[in-house]
Amino acid sequence: GTPGQANSRAVSNAGPAVEDVQHSPVLPAAAQAAVVRASVEDVDGIGRAELRYRIDPSATYTTLAMRDDGVAPDTVAHDGVFAATIPGQAAGTLVAFYVRAVDLNNATNQFPEEAPTRECLVRFGDTVYPGLFMSMKLWYTAANVSTWANRRNLSNDPLDGTLAYGAFRAIYNIGGRYHSSPFVRVSGDPTYSGGSFTVYVP
């Protein structure tokens, strides 16, 4: 080791910490807007925070400034929680998004860190299924559904997605794949209702 020396991870100016990203409501109705909030902090101060979203499967992003001035959709001014609104969409529309922040010295960071390879997802018009068991939704981009459908069904490589737990919580960047032996791994994509899945939750 090199006690007292900079290690291989040292940087002269790290970008802002982008944490606690969430959208609400978790299951927006058709045409209902979804507000994305994120906690953004940096010792140098925040220059700007941006929400970048796209309508899947389009690769074109729309960039929105996120606010922390107490003006809607932000609720408390200067608390470090930034907010922006994804406009309401038609039922069945999947929106992929990520949050990018820049400090006052121009260092950047984003959530998810690997964006746009990995993204947060929200689907409009989904509802909670009635019954005794908790309703869960697994959302995947069209690209990942296509990858899933066209690769070997014995692949154990997880594909990035979002898990919606009832109407209470969205968990981004889960990993999903088919589960178990070749006898229960169906061919096709994860929309097939007879599939058996393994889901990795961060």
Side-chain angles (χ1 to χ4, degrees):
T2 53
Q5 302 299 309
N7 63 27
S8 61
R9 301 290 290 173
V11 294
S12 58
N13 180 28
V18 183
E19 300 175 324
D20 299 326
V21 176
Q22 58 184 313
H23 71 265
S24 62
V26 171
L27 300 179
Q32 182 180 17
V35 176
V36 176
R37 293 182 174 88
S39 175
V40 183
E41 297 181 69
D42 193 285
V43 294
D44 299 321
I46 304 302
R48 66 183 183 278
E50 301 171 339
L51 172 66
R52 296 185 174 182
Y53 76 91
R54 63 183 182 86
I55 310 300
D56 192 63
S58 170
T60 302
Y61 285 91
T62 298
T63 300
L64 300 176
M66 301 185 75
R67 313 183 69 116
D68 185 25
D69 56 3
V71 177
D74 186 48
T75 53
V76 179
H78 313 304
D79 63 347
V81 178
F82 290 73
T85 301
I86 298 174
Q89 307 291 327
T93 300
L94 184 73
V95 174
F97 66 90
Y98 66 97
V99 173
R100 182 176 183 271
V102 184
D103 72 13
L104 292 177
N105 286 324
N106 253 356
T108 65
N109 200 10
Q110 59 194 25
F111 181 88
E113 185 178 350
E114 304 90 345
T117 303
R118 302 178 76 188
E119 299 165 294
C120 307
L121 305 177
V122 54
R123 191 168 189 265
F124 290 76
D126 274 3
T127 57
V128 173
Y129 296 130
L132 297 177
F133 294 101
M134 175 55 68
S135 176
M136 297 186 186
K137 310 285 185 179
L138 295 175
W139 296 326
Y140 293 96
T141 63
N144 279 347
V145 169
S146 177
T147 297
W148 195 317
N150 289 293
R151 68 181 183 173
R152 296 178 184 272
N153 60 2
L154 291 180
S155 174
N156 286 330
D157 293 329
L159 290 171
D160 184 61
T162 291
L163 168 66
Y165 181 73
F168 310 107
R169 184 182 180 195
I171 304 173
Y172 308 119
N173 306 132
I174 64 162
R177 63 172 177 84
Y178 280 137
H179 171 75
S180 196
S181 73
F183 300 101
V184 297
R185 293 200 186 200
V186 298
S187 296
D189 64 47
T191 63
Y192 174 69
S193 61
S196 178
F197 304 96
T198 292
V199 175
Y200 301 94
V201 179

